[in-house]
Amino acid sequence: SWKLVLEEKHPDMLHLLQFPYNGEPPKRLVTDKEITPNSLHFVRNHGGIPIIDKADYSFLVDGVVNPKSFTVAELQDESKFPRMEKTITIQCSGTRRIEQILKYAGQGDEVPQAPWAEGAIGTAKYVGISLKKVIKACGGLADGNKHLEFYGADTYFKDDKAMNYVVSVPWSKVRANEVMLAWEMNDKELPRIHGYPLRIVVFGYIGARSVKWLYLIKGIKRPSMAPVQSAEYLYFPQQVGKHNLKMTDGIQIQEMPVSSAIMSPWSKQVVIHNGKIRCKGWAYSGGGRWPERVELSADGGFDWYTIPLENLSKKRKWTWRTWEYDLPCDVEGWVEIVVRCWDNSLNTQPTQIRDSWNWGLHVTSSCHRVVVYSVN
Ligand code: MTE
Ligand code: MO
């Protein structure tokens, strides 16, 4: 799989882990483009990268009235399934975890997890079809089923047992045409690292639900009991730690809350400027909400400047907005730059990293802060 990484990914990717391969683009390239090039899209894997031959490939749909297998070619028959094309932001719930690790490491309670920075988020144009049409083509869900389980062909190890990557989403999400089966990413065949030949893309949910290397879809009555769904992506309250961990105290993370990040300047950077610091970054909200206002502060979050809308990339349901702004600053010396986003439901972000802390180190959505040395 290392050979594949070198073939499919940009040479400047930050490799967080070699096996299973996890990587994100370096800060200067995260928001370089509004649509993330495939070679720079972050990669999150729990196990190996299956090498699947499209000629032999099919996946099964079960837990429906008429269980049935499909090849990619069958899905691509536009007389049966209308083609769907969507620009979607995929964000891992571990985005910006490094801030929680740096703040709380050594307290004995945190789980070892990939130390993602601000780049575990990416935006791409996917081509495929709505999963709803496939379920309809199988006669609908079998009696009483209300969730759909997705199985990936990769194996992953949990407590020394090999298992497939399995998660679920509620049928209501599929019925709303917000889940697709995708075979193309940014006008190219889906890269192997991103799930070739077919992956799920769930709009506005954490990346964990967008299963790669799909081989089985199954209608089920309750959310999946597989560990990734029932134990891994849980959001615990502040007082929960290793000593008193109960899975029932965690909320299953599906939609991500509103968040944002500064991609330039970087922390500890000396910034020489003429009264304005050039800032760049992204803002995103899950669940089909979108950034409506993005603000920057040059004094730790006391006074806020609103970034003019023309400095934000296009407003679109299901995608981030990248932004650039010349932040006024007349201070000589250390300056704390803070970003804050409001989405279209007027949700905004917690102010301090302490507000974000949780045992699983997921969902770091507190205001992103960078401290720079300002030379005016
Ligand atoms: N699908 C499979 N089969 N195996 C995985 O390990 N990781 C998930 C999801 N789908 C995963 C998977 C997680 S946690 C995320 S954040 C996204 O894939 C990342 O998608 P990407 O690697 O295409 O960026
Ligand atoms: Mo993830």
Side-chain angles (χ1 to χ4, degrees):
S1 70
W2 190 243
K3 198 169 147 263
L4 261 180
V5 172
L6 298 178
E7 268 170 37
E8 293 190 344
K9 303 315 284 188
H10 193 283
D12 294 345
M13 283 289 278
L14 304 174
H15 308 306
L16 275 74
L17 212 64
Q18 188 173 350
F19 186 86
Y21 181 71
N22 282 263
E24 68 174 283
K27 273 190 211 296
R28 72 187 160 79
L29 295 175
V30 174
T31 52
D32 196 37
K33 303 240 162 51
E34 187 191 341
I35 306 289
T36 316
N38 290 352
S39 65
L40 282 168
H41 197 284
F42 81 97
V43 179
R44 166 68 172 123
N45 291 331
H46 286 67
I49 301 165
I51 304 297
I52 298 170
D53 187 350
K54 198 154 141 187
D56 305 332
Y57 171 80
S58 67
F59 68 97
L60 176 68
V61 184
D62 206 354
V64 288
V65 175
N66 305 305
K68 212 167 132 42
S69 286
F70 296 87
T71 63
V72 176
E74 284 172 277
L75 304 186
Q76 289 171 334
D77 179 352
E78 286 184 46
S79 67
K80 292 212 188 84
F81 299 112
R83 176 187 145 103
M84 191 180 208
E85 186 182 303
K86 281 269 179 203
T87 303
I88 300 292
T89 292
I90 294 187
Q91 182 182 24
C92 180
S93 60
T95 311
R96 296 177 49 209
R97 171 176 289 143
I98 185 75
E99 293 166 55
Q100 295 196 49
I101 295 176
L102 290 177
K103 189 81 181 175
Y104 298 106
Q107 298 188 359
D109 244 6
E110 66 283 352
V111 279
Q113 299 244 41
W116 299 107
E118 307 86 11
I121 181 168
T123 301
K125 188 183 90 188
Y126 295 94
V127 169
I129 58 170
S130 173
L131 173 57
K132 180 186 184 176
K133 307 279 181 203
V134 176
I135 303 299
K136 293 285 175 204
C138 298
L141 286 179
D143 226 19
N145 287 340
K146 291 204 169 61
H147 296 262
L148 287 164
E149 221 174 20
F150 307 137
Y151 289 66
D154 50 331
T155 17
Y156 116 100
F157 287 87
K158 176 106 185 168
D159 305 326
D160 290 333
K161 278 203 308 257
M163 48 185 85
N164 285 120
Y165 185 88
V166 185
V167 297
S168 70
V169 301
W171 163 242
S172 57
K173 186 75 182 162
V174 178
R175 193 180 49 206
N177 289 310
E178 292 171 4
V179 181
M180 78 188 276
L181 296 165
W183 54 77
E184 217 179 274
M185 183 176 182
N186 291 331
D187 305 313
K188 302 257 164 51
E189 212 157 43
L190 197 62
R192 288 203 183 273
I193 287 182
H194 292 290
Y196 179 89
L198 193 70
R199 81 175 295 171
I200 296 276
V201 179
V202 182
F203 310 165
Y205 274 19
I206 57 168
R209 311 299 171 225
S210 293
V211 172
K212 306 189 272 189
W213 315 290
L214 179 74
Y215 83 89
L216 172 64
I217 296 176
K218 202 163 146 189
I220 51 174
K221 294 201 162 46
R222 270 174 260 286
S224 174
M225 288 310 293
V228 180
Q229 187 72 31
S230 63
E232 230 186 272
Y233 290 87
L234 298 182
Y235 192 79
F236 291 103
Q238 194 185 50
Q239 64 276 22
V240 167
K242 202 191 309 194
H243 59 288
N244 62 351
L245 191 68
K246 282 206 312 290
M247 291 307 163
T248 46
D249 285 339
I251 301 170
Q252 286 191 5
I253 309 164
Q254 302 279 52
E255 297 176 355
M256 284 291 272
V258 59
S259 68
S260 54
I262 300 161
M263 303 317 305
S264 176
W266 308 347
S267 246
K268 315 283 166 67
Q269 199 178 332
V270 177
V271 186
I272 301 166
H273 61 97
N274 292 318
K276 286 180 174 180
I277 302 177
R278 186 75 175 159
C279 298
K280 284 185 187 191
W282 54 258
Y284 172 72
S285 188
R289 293 170 295 275
W290 55 82
E292 198 65 76
R293 178 181 300 157
V294 186
E295 300 168 306
L296 280 174
S297 167
D299 60 4
F302 191 79
D303 287 312
W304 294 95
Y305 290 88
T306 301
I307 304 178
L309 287 179
E310 63 266 26
N311 290 28
L312 266 57
S313 67
K314 198 158 126 191
K315 177 159 88 183
R316 246 189 311 229
K317 205 175 176 182
W318 315 119
T319 74
W320 70 3
R321 296 179 84 173
T322 56
W323 50 264
E324 280 189 51
Y325 183 60
D326 288 322
L327 176 63
C329 176
D330 54 14
V331 174
E332 290 273 354
W334 292 106
V335 168
E336 188 180 30
I337 304 177
V338 194
V339 65
R340 176 170 80 182
C341 175
W342 300 80
D343 72 14
N344 60 314
S345 301
L346 295 192
N347 296 307
T348 193
Q349 305 176 235
T351 50
Q352 301 291 343
I353 185 68
R354 180 64 184 163
D355 304 318
S356 278
W357 188 86
N358 67 100
W359 187 78
L361 308 180
H362 292 289
V363 194
T364 314
S365 71
S366 59
C367 291
H368 188 223
R369 293 159 186 273
V370 301
V371 177
V372 300
Y373 196 85
S374 160
V375 179
N376 196 344

